[in-house]
C-alpha cells in the first residue's frame, strides 16, 4: 500500500505523546472529524476545529493535544505508510 489511514481518538486535555514525533520518509495529513486539536510543530502551533485539516511535510517534528472537554477524533493519512 502507498497510503496509511488511521482513525485517531484523543481523550480530553491529553497529548498524543510526551515527546515530538518526526516522520523522515512520510508526509502526513490530519483531518479533525469531531472536537478540536492543537498541533504543536515546535516553531508553530496550529488550532484545528471540526472539519479542519493540516498537511505536514516529511521531517516536521510534531505532537497533538486535545484542548477540549470530550474525546476528539481525527483521520491521519500518511504516505508512504510508517506503521
Amino acid at each position: 500500500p502507498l497510503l496509511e489511514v488511521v482513525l485517531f481518538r484523543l481523550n480530553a486535555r491529553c497529548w498524543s505523546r510526551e515527546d515530538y514525533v518526526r516522520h523522515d520518509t512520510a508526509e502526513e495529513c490530519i483531518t479533525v472529524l469531531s472536537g478540536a486539536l492543537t498541533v504543536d510543530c515546535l516553531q508553530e502551533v496550529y488550532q484545528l476545529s471540526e472539519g479542519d485539516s493540516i498537511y505536514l511535510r516529511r521531517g516536521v517534528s510534531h505532537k497533538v493535544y486535545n484542548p477540549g472537554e470530550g474525546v476528539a477524533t481525527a483521520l491521519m493519512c500518511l504516505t508512504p505508510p510508517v506503521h
Side-chain angles (χ1 to χ4, degrees):
L2 299 176
L3 180 67
E4 175 180 10
V5 179
V6 178
L7 179 61
F8 177 81
R9 292 184 178 92
L10 191 57
N11 289 329
R13 303 198 187 278
C14 286
W15 286 97
S16 56
R17 54 189 307 128
E18 289 184 24
D19 55 340
Y20 290 86
V21 65
R22 186 175 86 188
H23 311 295
D24 290 326
T25 60
E27 299 174 39
E28 181 175 0
C29 178
I30 301 171
T31 302
V32 179
L33 301 177
S34 65
L37 294 175
T38 300
V39 181
D40 182 346
C41 296
L42 290 174
Q43 302 298 323
E44 297 189 53
V45 176
Y46 301 93
Q47 308 296 329
L48 305 180
S49 300
E50 187 173 316
D52 290 343
S53 61
I54 187 170
Y55 166 75
L56 302 170
R57 293 180 188 265
R58 64 186 74 186
V60 173
S61 296
H62 61 284
K63 61 182 178 178
V64 180
Y65 179 73
N66 176 358
E69 298 293 328
V71 175
T73 58
L75 281 180
M76 293 188 315
C77 301
L78 298 109
T79 186
V82 297
H83 298 106

